[in-house]
Amino acid sequence: MEFNVKKLASDAGVFFSRAMQFTEEKLGQAEKTELDAHFENLLARADCTKNWTEKILRQTEVLLQPNPSARVEEFLYEKLDRKVPSRVTNGELLAQYMTEAANDFGPGTPYGKTLIKVGETQRRLGAAEREFIHSASINFLTPLRNFLEGDWRTISKERRILQNRRLDLDACKARLKKAKAAEAKAACEGDAVPDFQETRPRNYVLSASASALWSDEVEKAEHELRLTQTEFDRQAEVTRLLLEGISSTHVNHLRCLHEFVESQTNYYAQCYQFMLDLQKQLGSSKGEIFSGTFVGNAESASPAAATSPPAVAAATLPAVPTIPVVPTIVGVPNTVAEGVLNPSEVKPPASGTRRARVLYDYEAADSTELALLADEMITVYSLPGMDPDWLIGERGNQKGKVPVTYLELLS
């Protein structure tokens, strides 16, 4: 118990000495040991790295999980060292709703078939999103978090120790300075010639004794200064080595950043491919879907509804850019069937053609179709009796059918 009390008293004295030194430095009443410029640059670089790493980490978490409640839940699971439960992505939830809706509407109806196709694509998009979030969390977020919770905490701890060592060093310097000033003052008083008629000799004896005491105090202060200087230099070297390790941290974060970009690129490439496949599926079935009106029971539909006027049927179709239809082309009857159309034998009309820009790459399925490259310009026109989802496209001497959904029609 006595040892603990003494240690507590000693620690309290050290804390009071540091507090006094810190306060006097802030008030400009005490000198402060300055670190060299290189060390100051290392400190500034470390602080900058920590601040930006925190911001990048937080914003990446928002990007991967926009829901703040879900982020808080994941944080709590992580702190409790428990596995985060699997969470359904928005795409997967949308796919589930579309599939259930298709079952209610009838999977054999045009709307039900389309819901199933779009729902399957949404499920694949949700799975790709889940894989991207998992990959980004492991390859990017985890290294950033490990730096903040591991390396940076060690650096902060050593910096606090260095700050305390500096305060101890400056306090020892101040005590030594005061002891030397008092010793010099006592020495001046001891060197004076005594006047036994005006002053009692006892005062000169006390002055000589005070001078000896201050000499001992100076020696003690110098010894403490050497010890604190050694501790300060040792701690400064340890802190310097840790701060110089920030360069290795940047290299590691750079590698993680490349992995994050690669994961994000793969994710968006998968999404793009999934949507292209869906667009092809919807484009190929568009003519079949809109060939008649949506009727709950096709067998009970009246003949009048099946033979509705063209104006009524057109009202149910989505608006599409109009293509000039060639009224009459030599050698081609007005009721051209898609299956027997030979584009190579079709001559372009003298008027009624339009220019179009290709939006996506398209591979020709057979010799009657024209392969397309994204961003190229072609000439298009329609023929009487053609499927409204297809046009005749020309590029130089090449000619063939092209899907409307892959084109941007220009005026």
Side-chain angles (χ1 to χ4, degrees):
M1 184 65 183
E2 182 181 358
F3 172 78
N4 293 334
V5 172
K6 289 183 178 180
K7 184 177 185 303
L8 181 62
S10 176
D11 292 342
V14 171
F15 175 79
F16 180 76
S17 174
R18 292 171 179 172
M20 287 291 297
Q21 178 65 27
F22 182 80
T23 304
E24 291 178 356
E25 289 177 358
K26 290 299 182 181
L27 297 176
Q29 299 175 359
E31 297 180 356
K32 176 182 176 181
T33 300
E34 299 292 342
L35 301 171
D36 59 85
H38 177 63
F39 202 100
E40 293 289 352
N41 291 335
L42 291 177
L43 290 174
R45 189 186 186 197
D47 291 335
C48 183
T49 301
K50 180 256 184 181
N51 293 334
W52 284 114
T53 301
E54 282 184 337
K55 292 181 180 179
I56 293 174
L57 174 64
R58 299 292 175 260
Q59 192 58 37
T60 306
E61 290 175 341
V62 173
L63 173 67
L64 299 180
Q65 179 51 265
N67 188 347
S69 300
R71 291 200 304 272
V72 172
E73 181 182 355
E74 292 176 357
F75 175 78
L76 294 177
Y77 273 101
E78 181 181 351
K79 291 302 180 183
L80 295 175
D81 197 16
R82 294 185 179 181
K83 183 179 180 181
V84 180
S86 178
R87 184 180 289 106
V88 179
T89 61
N90 294 328
E92 292 172 329
L93 187 59
L94 178 59
Q96 178 183 345
Y97 290 162
M98 286 185 171
T99 303
E100 294 175 357
N103 293 331
D104 286 344
F105 297 147
T109 62
Y111 186 34
K113 290 180 180 179
T114 305
L115 279 173
I116 292 175
K117 292 179 180 179
V118 177
E120 176 62 21
T121 300
Q122 294 299 326
R123 184 192 65 78
R124 298 169 67 186
L125 291 173
E129 180 184 2
R130 180 194 302 275
E131 182 181 356
F132 166 61
I133 292 175
H134 179 71
S135 175
S137 298
I138 294 177
N139 298 328
F140 189 62
L141 292 184
T142 300
L144 298 184
R145 194 176 292 113
N146 289 341
F147 166 73
L148 293 174
E149 297 179 356
D151 295 346
W152 181 253
R153 287 187 178 180
T154 302
I155 292 175
S156 300
K157 176 183 176 181
E158 299 300 329
R159 287 178 64 177
R160 287 193 298 269
I161 296 176
L162 178 63
Q163 174 73 355
N164 291 335
R165 296 288 184 267
R166 186 196 63 75
L167 291 174
D168 293 342
L169 175 63
D170 290 337
C172 287
K173 290 181 178 179
R175 283 197 297 269
L176 177 60
K177 184 177 180 181
K178 293 178 181 178
K180 287 185 176 181
E183 181 188 25
K185 182 179 179 181
C188 291
E189 292 178 354
D191 291 340
V193 178
D195 187 354
F196 293 99
Q197 296 179 354
E198 298 180 2
T199 309
R200 289 178 298 176
R202 185 172 61 87
N203 293 338
Y204 295 95
V205 174
L206 291 176
S207 299
S209 177
S211 178
L213 291 175
W214 281 117
S215 297
D216 294 339
E217 188 66 23
V218 168
E219 292 180 1
K220 182 179 178 181
E222 289 177 345
H223 177 70
E224 292 180 354
L225 179 61
R226 287 192 296 268
L227 293 179
T228 54
Q229 183 69 54
T230 302
E231 293 178 355
F232 173 78
D233 294 339
R234 184 188 302 113
Q235 185 60 37
E237 184 63 23
V238 172
T239 308
R240 184 192 302 274
L241 292 176
L242 290 175
L243 294 175
E244 290 176 348
I246 292 294
S247 299
S248 300
T249 300
H250 286 186
V251 173
N252 183 38
H253 289 181
L254 175 61
R255 178 183 57 81
C256 296
L257 184 60
H258 279 284
E259 294 180 356
F260 173 73
V261 172
E262 183 178 356
S263 298
Q264 197 171 28
T265 302
N266 293 336
Y267 166 63
Y268 285 119
Q270 287 179 342
C271 293
Y272 176 73
Q273 187 60 46
F274 293 158
M275 296 309 299
L276 277 184
D277 295 341
L278 177 62
Q279 190 179 45
K280 289 181 181 179
Q281 294 178 23
L282 297 182
S284 62
S285 60
K286 188 176 179 182
E288 176 185 352
I289 292 175
F290 293 106
S291 58
T293 57
F294 289 169
V295 181
N297 188 352
E299 295 180 357
S300 64
S302 63
T307 58
S308 58
V312 176
T316 63
L317 298 177
V320 295
T322 58
I323 301 295
V325 178
V326 182
T328 303
I329 300 180
V330 179
V332 180
N334 288 338
T335 57
V336 179
E338 181 182 352
V340 299
L341 178 63
N342 189 356
S344 61
E345 299 178 357
V346 176
K347 295 182 180 180
S351 61
T353 61
R354 292 182 66 174
R355 297 287 290 172
R357 185 176 69 87
V358 179
L359 299 177
Y360 321 105
D361 294 345
Y362 178 75
E363 295 182 5
D366 52 44
S367 59
T368 64
E369 296 181 1
L370 179 64
L372 302 175
L373 296 176
D375 295 329
E376 69 173 335
M377 303 294 296
I378 61 174
T379 302
V380 295
Y381 52 89
S382 179
L383 297 177
M386 280 189 64
D387 188 326
D389 296 323
W390 294 82
L391 297 173
I392 301 297
E394 290 188 0
R395 182 182 56 234
N397 296 328
Q398 297 178 336
K399 184 187 306 182
K401 296 186 300 179
V402 294
V404 176
T405 54
Y406 281 68
L407 303 175
E408 177 187 1
L409 301 177
L410 305 177
S411 59

